[in-house]
Amino acid sequence: MNGFLMNNKLQQWAGVFAIFEALIYIAAFVYFGAFWSYPFDGTSAEKMTYLAENQVVFSLILFLMYVVFGVFLAVLVVGLHEKLKQSNHPAVLIGSLFGVIWVGLVIASGMISHIGLGSAIDLMETSPEKALEMWLIISVITESIGGGNELVGGLWVLLMSLAALSAGVFPRFLNYFGLFVGVAGVATIYPDDIFTEIFGITQIVWFIWLGVCLLTQDYVKKATGVKKPMIAN
């Protein structure tokens, strides 16, 4: 009984954090769409000056996008694994492994970018050109393991959606949508930003939809007293 309550509590937290993940995505889109005025055509000194002047806010955004996102993702990965593990579908174990790897990559990206930004700004007084070069290298590393390439995250969404579809744990359309989101994530290995944008936007919807299901599914069953059969909705 205690195990059931703890598992149910974990799934509720996973649902809450799934919605928080979507809100982090939205906050990042708003910040970079409305407030980010980086001088892409400016000189090295102008670019580094902009980063220095916005270091505090930019660092907080990076920390939110990567480190906080990764911590919330860890709870969601574990909660979703607990929700689906009774199906004994091989995709659950493999998908959860990719989920854990994604957590590590995202958090590592945030730590690299956060420390790297400060180091690049410190180098600015000596040489703006070398400082910008350092920041560009850091940006490439960050994008490579946690931002621009969403292969690992896409595989997690794809495999967990496949397992959920097979077990009928979540609504059928949510699982089909998850398959689409996962494929979009895997497709980010192609050098075109369009797939990264599709993955980001569609994952906002997926996170919210999944979060609502995790928060309400067991509550509805308790309220009605009906055990939901393992078939797709």
Side-chain angles (χ1 to χ4, degrees):
M1 182 67 178
N2 289 335
F4 171 78
L5 291 175
M6 290 180 64
N7 188 49
N8 189 52
K9 198 71 174 179
L10 174 61
Q11 291 174 23
Q12 289 179 350
W13 278 113
V16 171
F17 286 147
I19 295 173
F20 280 172
E21 300 281 66
L23 295 178
I24 290 174
Y25 265 117
I26 293 171
F29 281 137
V30 170
Y31 175 76
F32 287 108
F35 301 101
W36 187 245
S37 301
Y38 183 76
F40 291 99
D41 297 327
T43 63
S44 298
E46 290 173 341
K47 292 178 180 179
M48 291 308 303
T49 297
Y50 181 85
L51 291 176
E53 291 176 347
N54 295 273
Q55 181 180 5
V56 175
V57 176
F58 188 35
S59 294
L60 289 175
I61 291 295
L62 291 176
F63 186 80
L64 180 67
M65 288 172 54
Y66 292 106
V67 179
V68 176
F69 183 92
V71 172
F72 288 170
L73 181 63
V75 179
L76 178 57
V77 167
V78 175
L80 195 55
H81 176 268
E82 290 297 310
K83 183 73 174 179
L84 298 175
K85 69 178 183 180
Q86 292 184 353
S87 68
N88 294 320
H89 197 289
V92 175
L93 183 59
I94 300 172
S96 297
L97 176 60
F98 279 114
V100 171
I101 294 173
W102 194 28
V103 170
L105 291 176
V106 171
I107 293 178
S109 298
M111 296 170 68
I112 290 171
S113 61
H114 182 75
I115 299 300
L117 176 62
S119 298
I121 290 175
D122 290 340
L123 185 59
M124 176 184 167
E125 295 181 2
T126 304
S127 173
E129 290 75 18
K130 290 183 179 180
L132 180 61
E133 183 179 351
M134 174 186 285
W135 175 243
L136 291 175
I137 293 173
I138 292 168
S139 298
V140 170
I141 295 173
T142 301
E143 286 293 302
S144 297
I145 65 177
N149 189 331
E150 301 288 2
L151 173 63
V152 177
L155 286 171
W156 172 65
V157 177
L158 179 64
L159 290 171
M160 301 309 280
S161 297
L162 181 64
L165 181 63
S166 176
V169 175
F170 297 121
R172 186 187 300 263
F173 288 114
L174 170 60
N175 295 326
Y176 281 132
F177 186 69
L179 294 178
F180 174 78
V181 176
V183 170
V186 173
T188 59
I189 59 175
Y190 182 77
D192 194 322
D193 290 340
I194 184 62
F195 292 111
T196 303
E197 294 173 358
I198 291 174
F199 180 72
I201 294 172
T202 56
Q203 200 173 40
I204 291 175
V205 178
W206 184 77
F207 274 136
I208 294 175
W209 196 350
L210 176 64
V212 171
C213 287
L214 286 170
L215 286 169
T216 61
Q217 197 173 60
D218 290 332
Y219 175 78
V220 170
K221 286 191 287 185
K222 283 183 180 181
T224 59
V226 176
K227 293 184 177 180
K228 185 178 178 180
M230 294 293 286
I231 59 173
N233 292 331

